[in-house]
Amino acid sequence: MELLSKAKTGKVERPVKVLQFGEGNFLRAFVDYMIDIANESGDFNGDIVLVKPIEFGTLDRFHDQECQYTVQLRGIVDGEPKRINRIVTSVTDVVDAYGEYEKYAAYAKLDTLRFIVSNTTEAGIVYDDTDKIELNPPKSYPGKLTKFLYERYRHFNGAADKGLVMLPVELIDDNGIHLKECVLKLAALWNLEEGFTNWVNEACVFTSTLVDRIVTGYPRDEAEELCKEFGYQDNLIVTGEPFALWVIESAKDISEEFPLPKAGLPVIFTDNQKPYKQRKVRILNGAHTSFVLASYLAGNDIVLESMQDELIFNFMKKTIFEEVIPTLTLPKQDLIDFANAVITRFNNPYVKHALLSISLNSVSKWRARCMPSFLGYIEKEGKLPEHLTFSLAALMAFYTGTEIRDKALIGHRGEQEYNILDDAAVLEFFAANSSKEPREFAHAVLSNEDFWGQDLSSLAGVEDAAASYLTEIRASGMRKAMEKIFCIINKESNRNERLYENQRKR
């Protein structure tokens, strides 16, 4: 079977506008995919050069296929499961920053270059005071970027129109702000002239971004079958979900230079990404964290299975729509639309997302993802959010175990063992406390300020409710406990709704 190549795709060569640090699956199925669509629509007209920013690994597959590859998006579209194929031709070349340093460095002098994209993992944007400008290239990503920008500054004599726009997609808050801080610190460390610092501040743009798409990567088990379907050999196939969101925050408006929304792409330009970050963390991530532990103990193993379980599905929906959304600040319809999209994503038949993998570090996840909604609801409504409170009890039930083996606390689902993975101090706490009676255990967990940053047991009613839920879980098992508790709660909720409706009619 013929290997995919530029000749086979009929690639149109365009000016190189984007240098991308990272050649991994996410960037290729997200950024490069979007730029490909914008090229096709005539809104962008720019190619991408990928940079391998680390010493190990090979670029042979990219060279063999001349950087052409297929993205297959899989998921629910218009209510039906679909597979959407696209051959991406926006990448024109790939370069090894270590093995081909001169070729890599020459891109700093390219007149058409305007954007720098990066995904060097969360650990990539760090200031390393041992890095050196004399290295070819410097060892850290900020070091590489600083030297690259300095070479460009010198080549173009500090021309204001030759600054670059940085688009980091590393999953850290304010990624662009931290990246710029690293660049300026390195410039000072390396005693680079003041003119360069001014150029970085005035001619360059450091955006902070929020990205969202599940990318499942190379479909190893299906690759041969897919290539037969495509009619060509592709060793760079990447799969992902149809949903995508890219929020770009910057002080300077770059929407005309990077007009992806004109091509119908889900890109939002803003001067404040925090509400979108809050929406994602509390609805998408918060939903995961609030239901997965209860779902696992109720007998499910993956997210899709949980969505097909009416008990868990209803628990999740009520958590999102009745307890999370009321605490958020974006327009309500935006929040509802996003929540419905999240539910569609959770129902993706092509993604087998294991509940135990999501359960990793659930204590810190609950604090970051669920606790703001939990506290916000109490403040706004003056009462406990029943489903989020129950999720706390479910966390206690899931973290019940007395034996630590191979750095994991051993839990039990019936006769089956499972590994609870978290920081050593967290596991040691639960091993020492989870055999206590429900009220004593609940008090120990809720009053642990190292977990929550405050004493949750001091909140009115929280300890009583959590202990009551935990008692029922231990006595009846998770599924029967949820059926009993939420049947009662739902009947009470329905009764209150009927009373309100009758009063309104009068």
Side-chain angles (χ1 to χ4, degrees):
M1 197 178 303
E2 186 179 356
L3 195 64
L4 192 61
S5 65
K6 288 182 178 179
K8 189 162 184 63
T9 64
K11 175 174 170 50
V12 175
E13 296 293 342
R14 298 178 170 88
V16 172
K17 292 184 179 180
V18 182
L19 193 72
Q20 177 174 296
F21 286 84
E23 72 283 6
N25 289 322
F26 180 80
L27 288 177
R28 291 192 293 116
F30 186 82
V31 174
D32 306 343
Y33 179 90
M34 288 194 189
I35 289 175
D36 193 64
I37 292 173
N39 279 340
E40 185 181 78
S41 69
D43 293 301
F44 187 65
N45 190 38
D47 273 346
I48 306 162
V49 171
L50 308 185
V51 177
K52 182 170 77 68
I54 54 178
E55 292 186 78
F56 57 86
T58 176
L59 297 174
D60 290 348
R61 288 181 302 160
F62 290 91
H63 291 306
D64 291 344
Q65 295 183 194
E66 298 178 304
C67 301
Q68 312 297 279
Y69 63 93
T70 311
V71 171
Q72 182 176 87
L73 302 182
R74 311 166 164 191
I76 304 295
V77 179
D78 298 328
E80 298 290 333
K82 291 185 180 178
R83 299 185 180 210
I84 304 164
N85 299 327
R86 182 178 189 86
I87 298 176
V88 173
T89 66
S90 57
V91 181
T92 191
D93 200 4
V94 64
V95 59
D96 182 344
Y98 288 85
E100 303 172 284
Y101 179 76
E102 294 303 324
K103 178 183 176 182
Y104 152 75
Y107 281 108
K109 302 174 183 178
L110 185 65
D111 182 70
T112 59
L113 187 66
R114 178 59 173 158
F115 302 95
I116 300 285
V117 172
S118 67
N119 187 21
T120 55
T121 78
E122 293 89 310
I125 300 181
V126 292
Y127 171 64
D128 183 350
D129 62 6
T130 68
D131 214 348
K132 292 180 170 54
I133 196 171
E134 294 81 13
L135 295 174
N136 292 331
K139 56 186 178 179
S140 68
Y141 169 56
K144 291 179 179 69
L145 179 61
T146 304
K147 182 169 183 176
F148 188 90
L149 291 173
Y150 185 60
E151 293 297 334
R152 186 172 183 84
Y153 164 79
R154 292 179 62 191
H155 180 76
F156 290 106
N157 297 312
D161 63 344
K162 297 305 177 188
L164 299 179
V165 176
M166 268 49 73
L167 293 161
V169 303
E170 288 85 352
L171 296 177
I172 60 172
D173 291 342
D174 300 321
N175 44 27
I177 293 172
H178 290 301
L179 182 59
K180 184 176 182 180
E181 288 174 350
C182 290
V183 168
L184 294 177
K185 284 182 179 179
L186 287 166
L189 178 70
W190 294 343
N191 295 314
L192 304 182
E193 59 263 43
E194 184 180 353
F196 171 66
T197 299
N198 292 337
W199 183 79
V200 168
N201 282 320
E202 297 168 10
C204 294
V205 179
F206 287 78
T207 72
S208 288
T209 71
L210 170 68
V211 295
D212 191 5
R213 166 171 275 168
I214 295 172
V215 174
T216 42
Y218 182 72
R220 190 173 305 278
D221 296 338
E222 306 168 69
E224 184 176 350
E225 181 182 339
L226 286 174
C227 289
K228 288 179 182 178
E229 176 190 320
F230 298 157
Y232 53 81
Q233 184 65 37
D234 185 350
N235 299 318
L236 291 169
I237 303 169
V238 57
T239 59
E241 65 170 340
F243 179 89
L245 175 67
W246 193 358
V247 181
I248 300 174
E249 173 188 308
S250 63
K252 178 182 177 181
D253 183 7
I254 62 166
S255 59
E256 290 301 315
E257 292 187 85
F258 202 54
L260 272 58
K262 288 184 179 178
L265 292 159
V267 177
I268 296 172
F269 293 98
T270 180
D271 61 359
N272 181 14
Q273 63 160 319
K274 286 180 173 54
Y276 299 96
K277 171 82 171 179
Q278 185 185 71
R279 180 183 71 175
K280 175 182 181 289
V281 169
R282 293 208 201 171
I283 295 179
L284 173 65
N285 304 121
H288 263 160
T289 299
S290 65
F291 80 75
V292 293
L293 305 184
S295 183
Y296 181 79
L297 292 180
N300 299 310
D301 292 309
I302 63 173
V303 170
L304 180 60
E305 192 179 10
S306 304
M307 295 301 95
Q308 295 167 345
D309 183 330
E310 185 178 5
L311 177 69
I312 302 300
F313 181 73
N314 287 335
F315 177 87
M316 180 205 67
K317 281 190 69 176
K318 286 183 176 292
T319 302
I320 293 175
F321 287 97
E322 296 180 9
E323 298 178 3
V324 176
I325 284 178
T327 70
L328 298 174
T329 58
L330 285 173
K332 186 174 182 179
Q333 192 58 51
D334 288 354
L335 298 169
I336 291 172
D337 291 344
F338 183 79
N340 285 326
V342 164
I343 292 171
T344 298
R345 296 168 74 185
F346 287 172
N347 278 284
N348 190 334
Y350 302 103
V351 177
K352 312 300 183 191
H353 204 167
L355 301 182
L356 283 181
S357 70
I358 301 172
S359 75
L360 177 68
N361 296 326
S362 281
V363 172
S364 59
K365 284 178 178 176
W366 201 93
R367 175 177 176 174
R369 301 172 173 186
C370 299
M371 196 170 82
S373 299
F374 178 79
L375 297 176
Y377 185 93
I378 292 172
E379 181 180 359
K380 183 176 181 181
E381 303 294 336
K383 61 180 181 179
L384 294 179
E386 290 125 335
H387 296 79
L388 286 169
T389 305
F390 185 87
S391 76
L392 259 178
L395 185 150
M396 297 176 203
F398 182 87
Y399 272 70
T400 294
T402 57
E403 178 188 1
I404 295 177
R405 188 194 311 154
D406 296 327
K407 298 182 180 180
L409 180 65
I410 307 302
H412 292 84
R413 183 174 69 174
E415 299 299 316
Q416 178 186 1
E417 288 186 350
Y418 61 89
N419 289 339
I420 305 164
L421 301 175
D422 212 312
D423 293 340
V426 173
L427 300 183
E428 289 166 4
F429 170 88
F430 281 100
N433 288 278
S434 63
S435 59
K436 294 176 178 177
E437 290 301 309
R439 178 166 292 280
E440 189 180 359
F441 181 34
H443 177 76
V445 174
L446 295 170
S447 63
N448 190 324
E449 295 188 27
D450 289 338
F451 287 175
W452 320 116
Q454 65 183 81
D455 181 357
L456 293 183
S457 70
S458 66
L459 298 173
V462 174
E463 190 173 310
D464 287 342
S468 174
Y469 291 151
L470 186 58
T471 298
E472 190 62 47
I473 293 168
R474 287 184 174 181
S476 307
M478 182 60 74
R479 180 168 294 279
K480 289 184 178 179
M482 292 183 74
E483 288 172 347
K484 179 179 179 181
I485 292 166
F486 292 106
C487 178
I488 293 171
I489 288 174
N490 290 338
K491 284 181 179 177
E492 180 68 18
S493 176
N494 291 337
R495 187 180 73 84
N496 290 339
E497 287 176 7
R498 287 195 300 272
L499 286 173
Y500 172 78
E501 184 63 20
N502 289 336
Q503 289 172 353
R504 189 184 66 80
K505 288 178 179 178
R506 291 195 193 106

